[in-house]
């Protein structure tokens, strides 16, 4: 393809040069309508048209080359989640089964989104975020999404056609289209009928020279001055909205083109796009004169004068606004369908860059999860682990930095990916549909005046209230239950909470240092652990999950490894020995 790109670039230069030479010849013979003038003019038209065609082909090939080269590769750039998350926050935040803010943060799903996001449009990146925040519990919907993802993976021809259309639609620097369709619309202007009257008066003024002669010039200039004042006075109130409405017009022009591409695995997308875009055709007529770009050529300047004289931009904006309000459900449908297609091609690109993945298998609504060689998507050379859980919770013990919390995140992230993008980083993933919630982050809140213990207790209460649905089990991931209070009350409260959760149709996976807690809960929870060992070079972790309770501790070893004074280390070791003697 690089050779084709180079060939079309040189062809463009050659034809453009011939067109310039021919234009020079036409200008030379222009006077007195010399016969050679027409010959040179014809000689100009043909290479000029060819140069334009070659330039278009050159740009198309460059775009296709870029899209091919970027396939399967992560796109590293800054992302503003306040904009990307607008769709979710205004449509599904707080809905049952959606991923709440703390779970999103605790599972590092923002970083996972960065890895997944290879979208080409604003609707695509917003819908991809929406998909991650709203895991599905419907097998048919997930499989339909998976079929569209596989279409992008397997059918290169369809993939390139769709990605080229999506790339041409592109992204705004600031996503203003989502608030336009789901937020509050700009207010209507009660003077809109007056704008129509002024435009009509401007049209009739063009006939006044035939009636009043040169005196009509004063009428035309006066009307132009009035309309110029109205144009710039009103435009400052809606100028901020012009990029979003302009982008909306591009979206509506792109939708039928996408619908024209046959998608055997996504025929419903084409049907919905055709119907919804057809219902919004009027908006295209109203938006054709709307632009936030400055005039860049003589033609642009002439068009700007026309916009002012006939108030085309002011009238078009308010007419488009009225139609947008009327057709909002259809516009939202176009946005969601185009966004989902873009999100699915992004997921397919993500899959193409993975060393290995598996599509999940879902079983009945009983709480069940079996994973083999599961890995975390953010870790390079991650150590895979396997586990099977059958309606019984798990307590994971082990020393610091041995991998307990990372394993919880690995399970949680893959459960989210399974129910959102039908993709797991594992050799096998079989499980129920879950309502997923996590309590892994530990922090107090100075702004709200809440202690660490209060914040933990509040979060655990949210997890307790989210369980108990007989039709949809919960997956609860907890790191160090109630670590912000004293030992005696912590153990008692943790035992009570975890025993309660065990009977609430939930799979509960807990990471803890408290071996006493593990002993108390052995009837309801299976025990696994991670280990470490001390060598000449310090601590070593294998990050492999093993059955049973942990038999090693490393808190004091870490102090020694970090270079604490010898007196502190020895005093700590002595204190541990004394405590163990008293306990026995």
């Amino acid at each position: 393809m690089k050779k084709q790109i180079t060939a079309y670039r040189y062809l463009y230069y050659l034809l453009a040069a011939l067109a310039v030479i021919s234009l020079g010849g036409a200008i030379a013979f222009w006077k007195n309508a010399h016969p050679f003038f027409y010959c040179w003019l014809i000689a100009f038209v043909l290479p000029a048209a060819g140069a334009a065609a070659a330039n278009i082909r050159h740009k198309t090939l460059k775009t296709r080359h870029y899209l091919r080269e970027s396939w399967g590769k992560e796109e590293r750039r800054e992302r503003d989640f306040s904009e990307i998350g607008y769709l979710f926050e205004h449509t599904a935040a707080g809905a049952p089964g959606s991923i709440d803010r703390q779970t999103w943060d605790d599972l590092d799903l923002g970083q996972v989104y960065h890895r997944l996001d290879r979208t080409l449009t604003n609707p695509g990146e917003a819908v991809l975020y929406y998909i991650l925040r709203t895991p599905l519990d419907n097998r048919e919907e997930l499989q339909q999404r998976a079929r569209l993802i596989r279409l992008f993976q397997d059918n290169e021809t369809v993939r390139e056609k769709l990605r080229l259309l999506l790339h041409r639609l592109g992204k705004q620097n600031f996503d203003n289209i989502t608030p336009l369709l789901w937020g509050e619309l700009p207010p209507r202007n009660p003077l809109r009928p007056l704008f129509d009257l002024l435009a009509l008066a401007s049209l009739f003024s063009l006939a006044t020279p035939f009636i009043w002669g040169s005196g009509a010039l004063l009428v035309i200039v006066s009307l132009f001055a009035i309309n110029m004042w109205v144009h710039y006075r009103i435009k400052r109130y809606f100028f901020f909205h012009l990029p979003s409405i302009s982008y909306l017009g591009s979206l509506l022009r792109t939708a039928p083109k996408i619908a024209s591409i046959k998608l055997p695995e996504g025929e419903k997308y084409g049907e919905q796009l055709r119907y919804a875009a057809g219902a919004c055709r009027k908006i295209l007529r109203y938006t054709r004169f709307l632009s936030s770009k400055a005039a860049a050529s003589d033609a642009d300047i002439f068009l700007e004068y026309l916009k002012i004289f006939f108030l085309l931009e002011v009238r078009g904006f308010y007419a488009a606004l009225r139609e947008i309000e009327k057709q909002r459900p259809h516009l939202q449908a176009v946005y969601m369908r185009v966004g989902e297609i873009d999100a699915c091609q992004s997921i397919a690109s993500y899959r193409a860059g993975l060393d290995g993945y598996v599509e999940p298998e879902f079983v009945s609504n009983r709480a069940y999860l079996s994973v083999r060689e599961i890995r975390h998507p953010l870790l390079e050379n991650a150590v895979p682990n396997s586990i099977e859980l059958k309606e019984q919770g798990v307590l994971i013990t082990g020393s610091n930095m041995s991998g307990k919390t990372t394993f919880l995140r690995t399970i949680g992230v893959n459960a989210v990916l399974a129910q959102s993008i039908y993709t797991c980083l594992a050799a096998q993933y079989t499980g129920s549909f879950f309502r997923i919630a996590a309590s892994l982050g530990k922090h107090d809140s100075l702004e709200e005046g809440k202690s660490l213990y209060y914040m933990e207790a509040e979060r655990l209460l949210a997890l307790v209230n989210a369980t108990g649905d007989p039709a949809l089990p919960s997956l609860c991931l907890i790191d160090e239950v109630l670590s912000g209070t004293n030992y005696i009350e912590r153990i008692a409260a943790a035992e009570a909470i975890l025993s309660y959760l065990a009977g609430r149709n939930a799979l509960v996976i807990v990471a803890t240092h408290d071996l006493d807690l593990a002993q108390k809960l052995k009837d309801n929870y299976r025990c696994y652990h991670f280990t470490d060992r001390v060598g000449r070079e310090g601590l070593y972790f294998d990050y492999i999950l093993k059955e049973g309770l942990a038999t090693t501790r490393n808190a004091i070893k870490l102090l020694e490894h970090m270079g604490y004074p010898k007196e502190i280390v020895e005093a700590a070791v002595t204190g541990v020995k004394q405590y163990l003697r008293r306990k026995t």
Side-chain angles (χ1 to χ4, degrees):
M1 183 173 282
K2 286 184 178 180
K3 290 182 179 179
Q4 284 183 295
I5 293 172
T6 303
Y8 273 102
R9 184 172 73 247
Y10 286 129
L11 179 61
Y12 164 70
Y13 291 151
L14 175 61
L15 292 174
L18 289 173
V20 170
I21 293 170
S22 302
L23 182 61
I27 293 172
F29 290 98
W30 174 69
K31 288 185 177 181
N32 302 321
H34 194 284
F36 282 155
F37 165 75
Y38 299 103
C39 297
W40 282 107
L41 189 63
I42 294 171
F44 161 75
V45 170
L46 293 177
N55 189 40
I56 293 171
R57 182 62 177 166
H58 171 250
K59 290 181 177 179
T60 300
L61 286 173
K62 277 185 68 176
T63 302
R64 284 183 175 171
H65 178 69
Y66 162 76
L67 292 174
R68 285 185 185 180
E69 289 296 306
S70 63
W71 182 252
K73 296 177 182 176
E74 182 180 354
E75 184 182 347
R76 298 184 181 275
R77 60 181 177 84
E78 292 296 321
R79 293 170 175 86
D80 186 348
F81 283 112
S82 64
E83 291 184 1
I84 295 171
Y86 189 96
L87 172 66
F88 169 78
E89 296 295 341
H90 286 75
T91 58
S98 64
I99 300 297
D100 61 47
R101 171 54 59 185
Q102 183 163 340
T103 299
W104 177 266
D105 291 338
D106 285 352
L107 296 180
D108 295 324
L109 288 170
Q111 294 301 314
V112 173
Y113 177 89
H114 279 275
R115 293 286 179 92
L116 289 174
D117 180 26
R118 291 97 189 270
T119 55
L120 302 169
T121 66
N122 292 118
E125 64 180 0
V127 172
L128 179 61
Y129 182 91
Y130 177 92
I131 285 172
L132 280 183
R133 291 293 297 268
T134 55
L136 297 174
D137 57 8
N138 184 299
R139 191 191 314 270
E140 184 177 340
E141 285 185 55
L142 270 173
Q143 289 178 344
Q144 183 166 339
R145 184 178 294 166
R147 285 193 290 271
L148 188 57
I149 294 169
R150 287 194 292 268
L151 172 68
F152 282 108
Q153 288 180 275
D154 302 335
N155 193 324
E156 185 177 3
T157 302
V158 170
R159 178 174 78 217
E160 287 200 351
K161 286 180 181 178
L162 284 170
R163 295 188 83 221
L164 188 60
L165 290 173
L166 294 170
H167 183 270
R168 286 172 178 168
L169 175 59
K171 290 178 181 175
Q172 295 174 301
N173 291 331
F174 301 97
D175 182 9
N176 295 317
I177 185 174
T178 315
L180 177 71
L181 298 184
W182 276 274
E184 187 176 348
L185 287 172
R188 294 187 180 186
N189 194 317
L191 298 177
R192 185 174 173 273
L194 177 62
F195 304 150
D196 292 334
L197 286 175
L198 286 171
L200 191 62
S202 297
L203 181 63
F204 283 132
S205 72
L206 297 178
T208 55
F210 299 103
I211 302 172
W212 297 327
S214 60
L217 182 62
L218 180 63
V219 176
I220 295 174
V221 171
S222 299
L223 274 171
F224 186 84
I226 292 170
N227 287 358
M228 178 182 286
W229 182 84
V230 171
H231 173 86
Y232 288 110
R233 177 81 177 178
I234 300 301
K235 187 174 179 178
R236 67 180 181 176
Y237 293 110
F238 64 75
F239 183 79
F240 174 77
H241 299 284
L242 288 180
S244 57
I245 295 182
S246 178
Y247 189 87
L248 179 63
S250 299
L251 178 63
L252 291 175
R253 283 187 288 272
T254 301
K257 297 175 184 177
I258 292 175
S260 68
I261 298 174
K262 300 299 182 182
L263 301 176
E265 291 81 356
E267 185 57 34
K268 77 158 191 173
Y269 297 95
E271 292 175 1
Q272 291 175 351
L273 281 175
R274 278 189 290 271
Y275 177 75
C280 303
R281 279 194 297 267
K282 279 188 181 179
I283 296 174
L284 288 176
R285 187 166 72 244
Y286 298 140
T287 59
R288 60 187 167 183
F289 294 115
L290 299 181
S291 174
S292 58
K293 297 178 181 179
S297 65
D298 292 342
D300 290 336
I301 293 171
F302 178 72
L303 180 61
E304 186 70 15
Y305 285 140
L306 284 180
K307 289 179 182 179
I308 293 171
F309 193 48
F310 295 107
L311 294 176
L312 295 175
E313 208 160 23
V314 172
R315 292 163 53 230
F317 174 80
Y318 287 109
L321 202 63
R322 181 184 60 189
E323 195 66 20
I324 288 169
E325 185 176 17
K326 181 180 175 183
Q327 300 295 345
R328 248 187 171 190
H330 289 124
L331 291 170
Q332 290 170 354
V334 171
Y335 179 104
M336 292 299 292
R337 295 291 78 78
V338 172
E340 190 167 356
I341 289 170
D342 192 9
C344 286
Q345 71 81 23
S346 176
I347 296 162
S349 177
Y350 173 70
R351 284 184 172 188
L354 294 175
D355 291 333
Y357 69 92
V358 67
E359 292 187 345
E361 297 178 24
F362 292 103
V363 295
S364 62
N365 290 330
R366 63 190 178 89
Y368 176 81
L369 180 64
S370 174
V371 294
R372 183 164 52 85
E373 297 181 12
I374 196 167
R375 311 182 310 280
H376 197 291
L378 298 181
L379 295 179
E380 301 295 333
N381 302 316
V383 176
N385 277 294
S386 305
I387 194 170
E388 183 177 19
L389 308 175
K390 296 180 180 179
E391 300 181 0
Q392 188 178 26
V394 169
L395 287 175
I396 301 176
T397 57
S399 52
N400 297 289
M401 302 194 307
S402 60
K404 301 187 302 297
T405 307
T406 299
F407 180 72
L408 264 61
R409 289 193 171 103
T410 300
I411 294 293
V413 168
N414 277 279
V416 171
L417 297 183
Q419 293 177 219
S420 58
I421 67 170
Y422 212 68
T423 306
C424 299
L425 275 75
Q428 173 254 323
Y429 180 103
T430 304
S432 313
F433 289 106
F434 290 110
R435 182 173 294 170
I436 304 158
S439 178
L440 306 180
K442 306 295 180 184
H443 56 85
D444 53 13
S445 175
L446 293 176
E447 292 182 356
E448 299 180 32
K450 295 178 180 179
S451 68
L452 172 59
Y453 174 77
Y454 190 94
M455 295 290 288
E456 287 183 281
E458 191 174 54
R459 180 58 184 168
L460 287 172
L461 178 60
L463 265 64
V464 167
N465 291 335
T467 61
D469 185 345
L472 184 64
S474 298
L475 178 64
C476 300
L477 308 167
I478 306 170
D479 188 16
E480 296 298 345
V481 186
L482 301 175
S483 59
T485 190
N486 64 82
Y487 177 79
I488 296 174
E489 289 184 300
R490 179 175 76 245
I491 293 296
E495 180 185 3
I497 292 170
L498 295 179
S499 297
Y500 181 83
L501 286 174
R504 299 276 294 174
N505 192 27
L507 282 185
V508 186
I509 308 179
V510 183
T512 182
H513 288 94
D514 292 323
L515 301 183
D516 293 342
L517 181 62
Q519 290 289 350
K520 291 176 178 292
L521 293 169
K522 61 184 179 181
D523 292 336
N524 292 323
Y525 287 79
R526 291 166 58 191
C527 291
Y528 287 82
H529 70 279
F530 289 96
T531 58
D532 65 272
R533 72 171 184 264
V534 181
R536 291 181 179 179
E537 298 180 357
L539 290 169
Y540 169 77
F541 303 96
D542 61 15
Y543 303 112
I544 297 175
L545 186 67
K546 305 172 182 69
E547 287 202 59
L549 284 171
T551 57
T552 60
R553 298 181 177 91
N554 74 356
I556 298 175
K557 294 174 189 174
L558 277 175
L559 298 182
E560 183 178 12
H561 182 63
M562 292 169 66
Y564 270 70
K566 186 177 180 181
E567 293 84 354
I568 294 177
V569 175
E570 289 178 350
V573 171
T574 302
V576 170
K577 290 179 180 178
Q578 290 174 351
Y579 172 79
L580 292 175
R581 280 198 298 269
R582 286 196 304 270
K583 190 173 180 181
T584 55

